[in-house]
């Protein structure tokens, strides 16, 4: 497919991050296949995670087609960009269409990006994850690749003002070992294994992060930060859902 929008968007983002001296630390990017389909599954702490998870595939020369809620595609600014980059809209009230579109993309040799927690984690710890990524990979016959992201929450996250012009922020991107589910796979068991892998990668990203002050809002409680606990975050998410209804 023609790539008219995606490459210039990536170049613009990379230029902006260089000007802001955003300091990337990436490990394991050689695990991204240079050809063929794969499901890239990341934790979700920031509205910029689409960009950072996509960077994980950049050294392999790959573009990631992310699954994102359909409202992003309906926005007058982000919508044309999302469609131009061939991302996959998700209608949460009718998810089968997005699932089928993702499986088709995987069989066509695309990398599909998925945030298996479904929403940003306000506690900055890993929430429970959906089984969709493992099911898609098993049906399409492609690997699942876990990715941990850390640092993006300092720039823009749920419930906090945007700080997109903040300088010198470190961003950690860790790519884990691929998983290879097959058609007869134990989906529940593999989903639990995927969550363990993501949690271990996230813990490594957090504990090796070069900037680790205590008492800051962007650190989880178990590392001395003041972010909501997982229980408090779940209550905030429930209140959000009630307001939307």
């Amino acid at each position: 497919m023609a790539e008219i929008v995606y490459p210039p968007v990536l170049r613009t983002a990379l230029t902006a991050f260089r000007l802001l001296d955003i300091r990337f630390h990436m490990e394991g990017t050689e695990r991204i296949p240079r050809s063929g389909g794969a499901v890239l599954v990341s934790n979700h702490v920031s509205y910029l995670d689409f960009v950072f998870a996509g960077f994980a595939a950049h050294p392999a020369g790959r573009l990631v087609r992310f699954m994102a809620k359909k409202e992003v595609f309906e926005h007058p600014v982000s919508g044309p960009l999302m469609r131009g980059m061939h991302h996959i809209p998700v209608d949460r009230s009718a998810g089968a269409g997005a699932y089928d579109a993702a499986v088709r993309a995987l069989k066509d040799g695309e990398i599909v990006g998925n945030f298996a927690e479904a929403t940003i984690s306000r506690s900055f710890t890993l929430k429970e994850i959906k089984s969709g990524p493992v099911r898609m990979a098993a049906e399409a016959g492609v690997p699942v690749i876990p990715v941990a992201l850390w640092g993006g929450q300092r720039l823009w996250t749920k419930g906090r003002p945007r700080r997109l012009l903040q300088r010198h922020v470190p961003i950690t991107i860790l790519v884990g070992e691929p998983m290879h589910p097959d058609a007869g796979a134990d989906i529940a068991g593999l989903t639990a294994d995927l969550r363990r892998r993501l949690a271990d990668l996230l813990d490594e990203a957090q504990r090796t992060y070069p900037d680790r002050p205590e008492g800051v809002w962007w650190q989880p409680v178990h590392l001395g930060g003041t972010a909501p606990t997982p229980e408090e975050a779940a209550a905030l998410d429930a209140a959000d859902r009630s307001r939307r209804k």
Side-chain angles (χ1 to χ4, degrees), residues 31-33 35-41 106 110-112 133-134 136-138 140-146 177-182:
R31 293 167 174 153
I32 305 292
S35 63
V39 181
L40 191 154
V41 184
L106 292 167
E110 299 283 358
I111 295 181
V112 171
V134 173
M136 290 188 301
V142 302
V144 177
I145 304 173
E177 293 282 353
M179 301 169 60
H180 297 275
D182 56 34

Side-chain angles (χ1 to χ4, degrees), residues 93-115:
S93 65
Y99 177 92
D100 291 343
V103 170
R104 285 195 301 273
L106 292 167
K107 290 181 176 180
D108 287 341
E110 299 283 358
I111 295 181
V112 171
N114 184 278
F115 298 105

Side-chain angles (χ1 to χ4, degrees), residues 1 42 57 64 72 85 89 99 128 132 146-147 155 177 188-189 217 220 223:
M1 66 181 74
S42 168
V64 182
V72 179
M85 290 186 281
Y99 177 92
E128 292 304 313
V147 177
L155 298 172
E177 293 282 353
W217 64 265
L223 292 178

